[in-house]
Amino acid sequence: MTAITDLVIVGGGPAGCAAAVMAASVGMRSVLIEPDALCAKLRHIAAINNVVGGHTSGTELAAAVAEDIARTELCEVDLGARVTEVRAYDDHVAVTMDTGRSVSGSYAVVATGVGPVPVSAASWLMVGSHLDLPTLWGAKVSDTVAGPLLVLGADRPLGTFLRAHPTLDATVLVAYPPEDDYKVDEVREDARVTLLPVTRLSVQAGGASAFTAEWLGRDGHRGAGTADAAYLNLGSAPRPPQGALVPDSTGYCPPDRQHPRILTAGDLRSSRFQRIMAATGSGSEAALGAYYGLRGVGSA
């Protein structure tokens, strides 16, 4: 079965939801497709301090966004469906889902975001074959934990984690490669953090401690230590659907590379602007671009 609408929105995070609200505000019908709950990733963020509206947790913000979408009568929400392909033509966009349904729209906003970088992509890191380390994103740690915590990589969830655990008294040992140097600025002044710039590091299951680590520092010296817990924090990788999306050399899908009827928004655009407020702004802008395109005002 094929549905026809003005705008197909692929991804129900902050960018996709903002696109739906903006589209409705200018009279555009939309279908928003999301395989999980709306703003599912936000629900794992215990503390936020960089959004307007007075929201202090991701769970609180996600609930507010879901309420906004529920009031948006011109938006049909299709949850539990994953987009398998996006195709663009001269006069429309066709989106296919794993449920067998397809949606045809005049334009599409694709905001599928990013997922965690796998260990196999981190050439500087070797993790024991029997270890399945959790990601720091959304990790819940007791504030009474005594031993050191080992964080592998200095990506943005580190700052979120520290804000979410203000009374955590344990040492947080952050091992990170040269490409993460600029990312540690956010946590450099936190007294709980010990920064460990490395060129290589290996983690194995420990004896008395849960984990043992050995590393080669940037200064050429070798070191070793133990930790009671270890978390992956290696960054994010874009997850575009198959079909018409055009990635750059990093795998992200900048708006200026896409077919005129496909507008990318949110974290899928670039690694440089992965913030909640940036995502919502880009989703709104993309919806307006589609609106102007429908009206023949300039280009979308």
Side-chain angles (χ1 to χ4, degrees):
M1 184 177 69
T2 300
I4 300 175
T5 189
D6 295 321
L7 184 65
V8 186
I9 302 169
V10 184
C17 290
V21 172
M22 179 59 74
S25 75
V26 292
M28 292 176 66
R29 297 169 299 130
S30 67
V31 175
L32 189 159
I33 306 163
E34 165 58 44
D36 204 331
L38 294 179
C39 295
K41 289 184 179 179
L42 281 186
R43 300 172 192 272
H44 296 286
I45 303 178
I48 54 178
N49 65 352
N50 59 354
V51 301
V52 297
H55 303 293
T56 58
S57 76
T59 301
E60 180 185 329
L61 178 57
V65 171
E67 290 177 4
D68 286 341
I69 294 296
R71 291 191 294 267
T72 306
E73 296 180 357
L74 292 178
C75 176
E76 175 196 341
V77 179
D78 193 341
L79 297 181
R82 186 177 300 278
V83 169
T84 56
E85 187 177 51
V86 177
R87 290 292 177 189
Y89 303 93
D90 289 341
D91 59 351
H92 74 285
V93 176
V95 174
T96 305
M97 290 170 265
D98 59 3
T99 58
R101 186 190 187 201
S102 61
V103 181
S104 176
S106 297
Y107 289 87
V109 171
V110 182
T112 48
V114 296
V117 170
V119 172
S120 59
S123 59
W124 61 278
L125 178 62
M126 183 176 70
V127 175
S129 58
H130 298 295
L131 293 182
D132 185 16
L133 299 181
T135 62
L136 189 65
W137 178 264
K140 294 179 173 60
V141 178
S142 171
D143 286 351
T144 61
V145 64
L149 307 180
L150 176 62
V151 177
L152 304 170
D155 204 54
R156 288 187 303 108
L158 178 58
T160 301
F161 172 82
L162 293 169
R163 288 192 297 272
H165 296 82
T167 62
L168 178 68
D169 196 32
T171 297
V172 180
L173 180 63
V174 181
Y176 60 99
E179 55 265 31
D180 282 2
D181 281 349
Y182 74 96
K183 299 178 181 179
V184 300
D185 291 340
E186 184 180 357
V187 302
R188 192 183 301 277
E189 302 304 321
D190 193 309
R192 298 168 294 177
V193 172
T194 297
L195 297 176
L196 183 63
V198 300
T199 55
R200 292 197 303 274
L201 183 141
S202 64
V203 182
Q204 305 291 336
S209 297
F211 302 96
T212 61
E214 297 181 353
W215 59 83
L216 176 64
R218 309 270 188 86
D219 58 4
H221 289 89
R222 298 183 180 275
T226 62
D228 287 347
Y231 299 94
L232 295 174
N233 188 37
L234 302 177
S236 302
R239 290 185 170 179
Q242 296 296 312
L245 275 292
V246 181
D248 63 14
S249 60
T250 66
Y252 287 91
C253 299
D256 60 0
R257 283 178 171 248
Q258 310 311 314
H259 187 281
R261 291 191 177 270
I262 294 180
L263 304 106
T264 53
D267 292 356
L268 183 63
R269 299 171 303 155
S270 166
S271 63
R272 295 175 64 87
F273 302 105
Q274 293 183 3
R275 298 292 190 274
I276 297 168
M277 291 296 293
T280 56
S282 72
S284 299
E285 181 180 359
L288 280 178
Y291 169 74
Y292 291 130
L294 276 173
R295 298 299 182 269
V297 180
S299 61

